[in-house]
Amino acid sequence: MTEFSFACTGVRADRYAAGPTLVFRLRVTAAGNARVHALALRCQIRIEPARRGYESAEAGGLADLFGERSRWGSTLQPVQFAQVSVMVPSFTGETEADLVVPCTYDMDIAATRYLTALTDGEVPLLMLFSGTAFTGAGGFRIEPVPWDREAAFRMPVATWREMVEQHFPGCGWIRLPRDTMDALLAYRSRHALPSWEATVQALLDSADPPAHDPLHALTGTTGRTDP
């Protein structure tokens, strides 16, 4: 069988995509300068959190995923990032191809919460390959791409942040159940609030008044504002 090897040589944010998208650049090598008519490739991408260090601020943002830092020796398990397919066209020996990975800013997804918590540095990724190769110098034969083919890559956190800013500039995104959205809409309409930002801010202000507000401090201790 043809011996295949893979490497990731870079990644960029696709500024022209309709939604958040990363484009990884793959180098595919067929040993012995073999002729490959086509390669139907599947790629599973995992985040390997144990392969990097974390600042205190990052650790706080990762507590809901991995627990307290004292437990990280056993809880820093791989996180699924994406599973995509790509068709690599005909080549001999070696070629490069783009691996397009649609992403999400849904904070219910573990990979998104992990990436959002990072402030700098690199994201340790492991790419696991499989698929079907159509090879042969004269005619063709069908061969599997073994399941043990893989490539490690360290993606800059800045690339992820660039991608998010392209589609959600200066914003965040959360998904809410329908009944919660209906309740928020009713609250917004009832108080004639001009935007969703104003709606959430009004709820935050009413639930947790600023600690430095002297009026709040006075009423909190005496229950009244009279001298």
Side-chain angles (χ1 to χ4, degrees):
M1 291 202 316
T2 305
E3 185 76 14
F4 288 98
S5 60
F6 302 89
C8 182
T9 61
V11 62
R12 60 181 172 84
D14 187 349
R15 63 177 60 253
Y16 302 110
T21 303
L22 293 172
V23 181
F24 293 87
R25 190 65 174 171
L26 293 182
R27 179 180 297 134
V28 184
T29 302
N33 207 38
R35 168 76 173 178
V36 179
H37 299 287
L39 184 61
L41 197 61
R42 294 184 297 273
C43 179
Q44 180 182 156
I45 306 177
R46 295 178 183 171
I47 299 170
E48 296 197 310
R51 290 175 48 208
R52 62 158 283 166
Y54 300 92
E55 302 292 339
S56 297
E58 294 174 327
L62 295 171
D64 65 328
L65 287 177
F66 306 121
E68 297 298 324
R69 190 190 280 268
S70 60
R71 300 175 51 212
W72 283 10
S74 59
T75 61
L76 285 184
Q77 299 299 317
V79 176
Q80 180 78 2
F81 179 57
Q83 187 160 339
V84 293
S85 299
V86 61
M87 181 64 73
V88 180
S90 175
F91 67 96
T92 299
E94 185 174 280
T95 190
E96 291 194 355
D98 285 339
L99 182 67
V100 179
V101 179
C103 301
T104 178
Y105 198 36
D106 186 345
M107 293 300 289
D108 286 340
I109 305 300
T112 303
R113 297 207 306 276
Y114 173 85
L115 290 163
T116 302
L118 303 184
T119 59
D120 202 0
E122 297 173 327
V123 184
L125 301 177
L126 182 65
M127 298 180 167
L128 306 172
F129 298 97
S130 61
T132 303
F134 301 88
T135 64
F140 71 89
R141 63 179 180 272
I142 300 174
E143 305 178 19
V145 176
W147 283 88
D148 62 352
R149 304 294 91 179
E150 61 184 42
F153 180 68
R154 302 187 73 86
M155 177 179 72
V157 173
T159 303
W160 167 265
R161 293 190 173 276
E162 177 189 352
M163 179 199 71
V164 171
E165 282 299 309
Q166 288 173 1
H167 295 274
F168 303 99
C171 300
W173 187 93
I174 57 174
R175 182 178 62 186
L176 297 174
R178 173 60 62 186
D179 55 349
T180 303
M181 283 298 302
D182 291 343
L184 282 172
L185 181 59
Y187 181 89
R188 176 178 175 177
S189 299
R190 189 164 58 250
H191 294 272
L193 295 166
S195 66
W196 286 115
E197 180 182 0
T199 303
V200 174
Q201 189 61 54
L203 288 168
L204 290 174
D205 290 344
S206 63
D208 187 18
H212 64 273
D213 185 350
L215 179 62
H216 170 64
L218 180 61
T219 57
T221 56
T222 67
R224 61 192 183 95
T225 60
D226 294 335

